[in-house]
Amino acid sequence: MDGRGLVRSVRVVGGGRGARALRAAWRRQRADAAGLPRQRGERARTPGEAAGAEAGPGGGRVCFARSALEVRVTAGGAVFLGWDGAEPEPSYALAGACPEADPRARLEPDKDGGWRVVSERMLVTVSRRGAVEVRTPGGALLRRDRPPRWWESDEAAAGGPRWMQRSELPADARFFGLGGRSAGPRLPEGAYRLWNGGADARGRGAVPVPVAMPVLVSVADAGTLLVFHDNSWDGWVTVREGVEGRGSGHDRPARCEVRMSGGPMRYWVVAGAPSRVLHGWAALTGAPAVPPRWALGHQHVHQGRAGESELRQLADGHRAHGLPLSAVALDSGAGWGGRAAGTGRAAGAVPSAGTAPSSGSSGADRSGDADGAAGRSQAAARLRAAGVELVSVVRPGVVAEPGCPVFDSGTAADVFVRDAAGRTVLGGARRGDAAFPDFTDRRARKWWGALFAERVEQGFTAVWHTGDEPTSLCAFGETTLPRSARHALEGRGGDHREGHNLYALAMAKAGCAGMRELRPQERPFVLAGSGWAGIQRYGGIATAAPEAGWEGLRTTLSLVLGLGLCGVPFAGPDVAATARRPSPELYLRRLQLAAYLPLLRTRTAGRAAGASWEAAAPWGVGEELLGHVRAALAERERLLPYLMTLAQLAHRTGTPYVRPVWWQHPRDRALRDCVDAFLLGDALLVAPVLEAGARSRAVRLPPGRWYDTRTGRCHRGAATVRLPTPLAGLPVLARAGSAIPVRGAGGRTELEVWPPVPGRTGGGLLIPDPGAGGARPAAERFTVRGGRGGAVLVEGEDGAAVEYAVRVGRPHGPSAG
């Protein structure tokens, strides 16, 4: 880093934290100087000419003068490509063993000295110089990878040389994915960093990226393609949109460039319709976990002392104002049963297993309750009896002080991350130095999972991981562990250059296994703040709070849609409020948007001096807007059966709850460019309000008929219509012919049916809540038909009678938009 870069990276940290942050930053810099190999002269390498090929299962191996390429088609249709001997395993992304090869796929000679592999869903050709083309079975080009390039030195570096791959795509291709990106959901031209907690190079991307996945989805007229580079090292992806020839017949293709600082050059490709692509991706990386029913309701993050009286006041306040509440996440800023070791935000370390709650308890515990954890356990029991669960905030940092039960236990078990010299790596924290467990070690995961016993005894149902990038307080440079820090990586060994992006994924695995062992009667669910490919197997992502202004609404939508297209369907940011509330309208619009996202959480944060926490509670918007807040949360409760159906559909097929509007019509170019609306399942289209004072907005409709659920007016797509956007709610449109399971009077499930287009049929799906266990309930399918005189008929499978009450949405006159 040069002098200018050092100045740009300095952070202002005051008080005692400033000294600790400086010490942690210099310590990290010294560790990297001693533990990382020095940069030496490098020379570039390309594959060279093809020298032959060897057939193998599902494809084979093409040998070049200076490299080799493995091509393997799996039984599910996904194709693996690995250069320089890279194999699919070991991999943290794959859900178990590598899928079996498709015995029907064969490697055979192609024209001009190249080779090809023909499969049911893709045609893969390899030129004699190493260019790789992925085409549809009909021959339409989806992607062309130029011969890769490596930069290597005389000495073999750990993790291999850095490399680059450049690709060309159809001129009409649009890019999506790469984890949660604030610039999305359609990724504009620019460079995107593959480093959790890092920032993109673009000016708009200065906001840290909580989840950076090398999963790029391209959508073109030729088809949809997902490309996953199974490499957790730091890197960059640069995308450039193409230009179609305007009468000249010449197109400028879209371009993509991937640069990685090390690690294997291996990647997977999945092609087909969007639903088929996400199904194939889930088959590779694991089915998304089904959240418990309470996790789909309204949750609240409480930042306070979390005493028994305060928790009771919080629940009573929601009840008194008619606001539903399903869970409370406690972010008190201190750990229970052990001193806190928070790193970037409020602190909170996991307590030691079996330790008395008073041993080493923090000041927050002593001042919050007279009876400490015992009172909290009583409060948890009362809340759960009222249908409110408790979620524990957990951070990976453990205060590094002898005498701290957790630190002593971890030191004895040898589970903390160490440096190249074998010393425990210490990161900066708010209340002292912190040690970090190495979650890529099976022993560390088992030790960590056992620590949740005390939290379970206190009545906590689930855990929420924060600071799991991992975050370390530093005055300058990157706010993470030294890149030279050593990780077990399941016994093969490596350093933080490879382990950084995997840390949150491995931590979620540890937390999920621990909760499953401690509460075997209920399915576990972990919320993570960061992650990598495969994080959906353990739960979901609570994304970082978006920007404070109205631009944060677009960021919210971008993060959730981007993560859904990367296989993480359960996600959402917090709807934060402060006691000052600069814009009650902005808070209301954020809440109305969140009511239709998979994760709905409100938060009290940033109290004004002398103000009570109630001033920043959801009912603090004032009487004028409180009714609209109540209506938004009531709508969320009404849609719970539909959300549970979408959750189980995601588990079975990989299809996200929240989908881009082009989901069923990827060839519609106007829909591909639509970034301000989304589909909730197949039945609902939601158009959030993204501007202050807006009382109407334009909405692009997919083909078909759509009913405004507020007015009942029918609109024909594909078209752009202008709809009113009063403070009372967002424009939400229902697809004609849909049957939507909703919660009716008395909590019973009903079907809300919207009339189909005359002469056509519609349908719906209901998958009930499986309960606490892991049962797989049967799906109930419904058929909707139009009858005489405008009547609507709803039937079950094989014409069976429907056992649910049916409510028909009444359309008004059709509008052509």
Side-chain angles (χ1 to χ4, degrees):
M1 178 183 297
D2 58 18
R4 292 183 180 179
L6 179 60
V7 171
R8 285 195 299 266
S9 67
V10 170
R11 300 171 185 83
V12 179
V13 187
R17 288 177 58 195
R20 288 193 294 272
L22 281 170
R23 185 171 62 249
W26 286 116
R27 189 167 51 214
R28 178 178 53 78
Q29 192 174 63
R30 289 196 304 269
D32 284 346
L36 291 179
R38 296 182 180 180
Q39 291 186 353
R40 301 182 182 275
E42 297 175 322
R43 58 179 179 271
R45 171 170 61 90
T46 58
E49 292 276 350
E54 303 172 1
R61 181 184 183 91
V62 181
C63 300
F64 297 86
R66 293 179 292 275
S67 187
L69 172 65
E70 178 82 17
V71 182
R72 185 182 308 174
V73 180
T74 65
V79 178
F80 170 80
L81 298 107
W83 286 93
D84 273 6
E87 294 288 339
E89 299 175 292
S91 170
Y92 278 87
L94 298 184
C98 177
E100 295 184 0
D102 186 350
R104 298 170 298 175
R106 304 277 184 185
L107 180 67
E108 55 190 40
D110 197 19
K111 60 183 179 180
D112 298 329
W115 302 84
R116 68 177 184 176
V117 178
V118 181
S119 68
E120 181 181 2
R121 300 180 186 177
M122 273 179 283
L123 168 65
V124 181
T125 63
V126 183
S127 76
R128 63 188 179 90
R129 290 192 173 274
V132 178
E133 290 186 352
V134 177
R135 296 179 177 269
T136 65
L141 179 67
L142 295 174
R143 178 182 173 112
R144 181 180 186 273
D145 298 329
R146 295 182 181 179
R149 184 180 297 268
W150 297 265
W151 286 268
E152 53 193 6
S153 60
D154 294 332
E155 297 181 4
R162 60 189 183 95
W163 53 264
M164 176 190 71
Q165 182 186 59
R166 288 176 173 168
S167 307
E168 296 177 352
L169 297 93
D172 66 306
R174 296 293 183 264
F175 297 101
F176 301 85
L178 295 182
R181 301 286 172 166
S182 61
R186 178 173 65 83
L187 299 176
E189 294 186 351
Y192 300 89
R193 192 181 182 191
L194 300 172
W195 188 258
N196 288 345
D200 295 336
R202 305 172 67 255
R204 184 178 175 182
V207 177
V209 179
V211 186
M213 296 185 193
V215 182
L216 185 64
V217 178
S218 60
V219 183
D221 288 352
T224 302
L225 183 72
L226 181 148
V227 179
F228 166 55
H229 283 85
D230 195 352
N231 184 327
S232 61
W233 284 61
D234 191 7
W236 291 87
V237 175
T238 304
V239 295
R240 294 282 185 271
E241 292 185 355
V243 177
E244 295 183 275
R246 299 181 182 274
S248 64
H250 295 283
D251 294 344
R252 187 182 73 188
R255 300 180 186 276
C256 171
E257 179 183 280
V258 179
R259 288 179 177 265
M260 304 299 293
S261 59
M265 186 175 179
R266 57 182 183 178
Y267 57 108
W268 292 85
V269 292
V270 187
S275 57
R276 174 171 284 188
V277 167
L278 267 294
H279 184 269
W281 176 239
L284 274 177
T285 59
V290 177
R293 182 198 171 282
W294 60 261
L296 293 170
H298 168 223
Q299 304 181 47
H300 184 77
V301 180
H302 183 64
Q303 291 183 300
R305 292 179 299 176
E308 179 184 6
S309 60
E310 195 163 300
L311 288 176
R312 185 171 60 251
Q313 293 172 19
L314 179 66
D316 292 344
H318 278 83
R319 189 180 307 109
H321 291 89
L323 305 177
L325 180 66
S326 64
V328 175
L330 296 182
D331 193 0
S332 66
W336 300 327
R339 268 193 58 189
T343 51
R345 309 166 197 164
V350 173
S352 59
T355 307
S358 60
S359 64
S361 61
S362 64
D365 271 319
R366 292 192 295 270
S367 62
D369 272 330
D371 51 354
R376 193 173 295 109
S377 298
Q378 296 175 6
R382 294 191 185 98
L383 288 174
R384 197 166 197 183
V388 180
E389 305 289 346
L390 280 185
V391 180
S392 178
V393 178
V394 178
R395 295 173 176 82
V398 175
V399 63
E401 289 184 4
C404 171
V406 184
F407 180 69
D408 292 344
S409 172
T411 301
D414 189 22
V415 296
F416 293 126
V417 176
R418 295 183 176 272
D419 62 17
R423 297 181 296 263
T424 299
V425 171
L426 299 180
R430 299 185 62 179
R431 292 173 174 82
D433 292 334
F436 290 78
D438 181 8
F439 294 111
T440 66
D441 188 336
R442 182 183 57 83
R443 298 180 302 109
R445 292 196 295 269
K446 188 170 183 62
W447 169 83
W448 182 262
L451 299 181
F452 289 94
E454 186 174 332
R455 298 272 169 118
V456 171
E457 291 174 1
Q458 291 179 4
F460 288 95
T461 301
V463 293
W464 166 33
H465 294 166
T466 65
D468 51 350
E469 287 88 352
T471 301
S472 173
L473 185 66
C474 294
F476 57 85
E478 294 177 336
T479 56
T480 186
L481 304 183
R483 294 196 170 208
S484 59
R486 304 297 299 173
H487 290 279
L489 295 174
E490 314 307 325
R492 55 188 174 85
D495 57 37
H496 200 63
R497 293 175 296 176
E498 180 180 0
H500 174 84
N501 285 339
L502 300 173
Y503 195 90
L505 172 66
M507 183 179 177
K509 182 178 182 179
C512 189
M515 294 299 289
R516 179 183 291 111
E517 185 171 344
L518 293 168
R519 305 176 77 243
Q521 72 281 5
E522 298 188 24
R523 62 181 185 272
F525 194 77
V526 174
L527 274 178
S530 185
W532 206 63
I535 189 71
Q536 74 277 359
R537 301 191 294 260
Y538 312 112
I541 297 288
T543 62
E547 297 93 328
W550 285 87
E551 187 63 25
L553 286 162
R554 295 183 182 273
T555 299
T556 293
L557 184 55
S558 298
L559 293 175
V560 176
L561 279 170
L563 286 170
L565 291 175
C566 292
V568 186
F570 191 88
D574 294 343
V575 181
T578 65
R580 301 182 189 274
R581 282 191 200 272
S583 175
E585 181 191 3
L586 174 58
Y587 178 82
L588 174 64
R589 294 307 195 187
R590 283 185 171 177
L591 183 64
Q592 289 172 339
L593 169 59
Y596 295 97
L597 298 180
L599 173 62
L600 167 60
R601 295 201 315 183
T602 53
R603 174 196 285 268
T604 51
R607 300 184 192 179
S612 71
W613 60 268
E614 291 182 291
W619 54 85
V621 294
E623 289 299 325
E624 181 181 358
L625 297 182
L626 180 58
H628 302 324
V629 170
R630 188 180 297 117
L633 296 181
E635 176 67 2
R636 175 67 172 214
E637 289 292 305
R638 193 179 74 90
L639 290 176
L640 283 179
Y642 184 52
L643 291 169
M644 178 55 71
T645 297
L646 295 179
Q648 301 215 60
L649 193 64
H651 177 74
R652 301 181 186 192
T653 67
T655 304
Y657 315 7
V658 171
R659 309 163 191 175
V661 291
W662 49 259
W663 182 257
Q664 291 186 337
H665 305 278
R667 292 188 176 183
D668 188 323
R669 301 188 181 187
L671 292 179
R672 290 208 296 258
D673 293 334
C674 180
V675 296
D676 58 358
F678 63 92
L679 296 173
L680 182 61
D682 285 335
L684 296 178
L685 188 152
V686 182
V689 178
L690 306 175
E691 298 177 356
R695 294 298 178 264
S696 68
R697 60 152 294 178
V699 181
R700 180 68 187 180
L701 300 180
R705 286 194 181 182
W706 296 85
Y707 294 101
D708 188 327
T709 57
R710 182 184 297 108
T711 65
R713 182 172 296 276
C714 178
H715 300 274
R716 292 188 178 96
T720 299
V721 298
R722 179 160 288 275
L723 300 177
T725 59
L727 287 176
L730 306 179
V732 179
L733 298 103
R735 189 187 300 272
S738 58
I740 306 170
V742 297
R743 187 177 183 182
R748 295 184 296 272
T749 299
E750 299 178 350
L751 293 180
E752 181 181 86
V753 179
W754 294 90
V757 176
R760 299 184 182 180
T761 62
L765 178 71
L766 169 63
I767 308 179
D769 183 1
R776 183 183 175 94
E780 302 180 55
R781 292 176 173 82
F782 309 100
T783 302
V784 181
R785 308 178 190 275
R788 295 180 178 178
V792 177
L793 305 177
V794 183
E795 301 174 341
E797 292 188 78
D798 300 326
V802 176
E803 300 178 356
Y804 303 97
V806 176
R807 181 168 59 85
V808 180
R810 294 299 176 188
H812 295 176
S815 169

